[in-house]
Amino acid sequence: MRPIDPAIKAHLDSGATSLCTCWTLTRADAVVMGFTDHDATVSFGGVDHMPADGLDGSEAPQKLGPQVDTAEVIGILSSDAISEADIEAGLYDGATVETWRVNWRDPTQRVLIGRATIGEIVREDGRFRAELRSGQQALNRTRGRLYSVYCDALLGDARCAVAHDHPNFALGCDRAFATCRDRFGNLVNFRGFPHIPGNDFVLHYPRQGDALNGAPLVP
């Protein structure tokens, strides 16, 4: 069970509370911003949590198991603090958000409800809706490289190294082993794993005439 400070617990038990919700947002560039659904600024932790017209937070259901808990925060794009240009520039992608329940009469009385990261941001009718994803989201991120028969580089990037003036550059690459070899002559930089058997091979059974000699599975 999450421990609660005795002061805020006493306030909650009093039956007459003066609570608000505050969000402390930290962007990847270390810029920290504070927002609240209260009608006045609430300051704590060295951050002024400014009232934002139309800012609202949905309930976040708690799930058992490895599922990712999600909630949403809705706000106004015309706010000086959050601009549509900054969202388009990706400044809020992956930003961390702490959600607090705070006694606005005495902000020292507060409890951390949750910590999340900003996922998908959708703009609708001059408003933004930011998805808040719980820490379990980190378990869904790809770490390192995935084994695939196809190349995971982009044609012409530093890992591919095919020159942009290559005569076949305009044809586009389907990332297959044979294409890299025959169309671009670039096997030395091929970033796939064509010799790893796929699911079809696992389910395959020997047939008369099959060449089961350990040779590569790609032409």
Side-chain angles (χ1 to χ4, degrees):
M1 179 177 292
R2 179 183 302 173
I4 299 180
D5 182 84
I8 186 66
K9 185 177 185 304
H11 181 69
L12 293 171
D13 293 339
S14 68
T17 62
S18 50
L19 297 175
C20 66
T21 302
C22 294
W23 292 272
T24 306
L25 185 152
T26 305
R27 300 191 324 203
D29 58 1
V31 171
V32 180
M33 309 168 72
F35 305 94
T36 181
D37 58 3
H38 189 45
D39 58 4
T41 300
V42 180
S43 301
F44 60 88
V47 179
D48 293 332
H49 297 77
M50 309 295 293
D53 293 337
L55 189 67
D56 183 33
S58 71
E59 294 183 355
Q62 299 295 315
K63 303 173 183 176
L64 296 176
Q67 300 181 69
V68 177
D69 298 332
T70 59
E72 291 179 344
V73 172
I74 300 174
I76 302 297
L77 276 177
S78 60
S79 167
D80 292 336
I82 297 180
S83 70
E84 187 169 4
D86 288 345
I87 292 177
E88 291 285 356
L91 296 182
Y92 294 92
D93 294 349
T96 60
V97 179
E98 293 180 342
T99 302
W100 297 84
R101 288 293 281 171
V102 184
N103 178 0
W104 52 265
R105 294 183 183 276
D106 182 3
T108 62
Q109 299 178 8
R110 60 184 184 271
V111 60
L112 179 64
I113 299 300
R115 184 178 288 107
T117 58
I118 291 182
E120 183 181 15
I121 299 178
V122 179
R123 290 169 294 279
E124 296 177 348
D125 301 326
R127 297 163 63 89
F128 74 86
R129 184 174 72 248
E131 181 187 32
L132 301 184
R133 299 174 177 173
S134 69
Q136 291 169 306
Q137 172 63 19
L139 300 177
N140 293 335
R141 295 176 184 171
T142 301
R143 302 286 183 177
R145 298 178 61 193
L146 295 178
Y147 289 102
S148 170
V149 296
Y150 296 104
C151 178
D152 61 3
L154 296 176
L155 181 63
D157 69 7
R159 298 174 65 233
C160 169
V162 170
H164 286 248
D165 58 358
H166 190 283
N168 291 329
F169 191 86
L171 300 179
C173 177
D174 62 5
R175 303 184 180 183
F177 179 88
T179 302
C180 189
R181 177 192 62 199
D182 301 336
R183 184 177 296 172
F184 301 102
N186 193 42
L187 281 186
V188 67
N189 291 315
F190 185 73
R191 303 296 178 176
F193 303 87
H195 303 301
I196 293 180
N199 293 335
D200 55 344
F201 183 81
V202 173
L203 299 175
H204 182 72
Y205 57 89
R207 295 177 300 182
Q208 186 175 4
D210 284 350
L212 305 177
N213 56 8
L217 300 177
V218 295

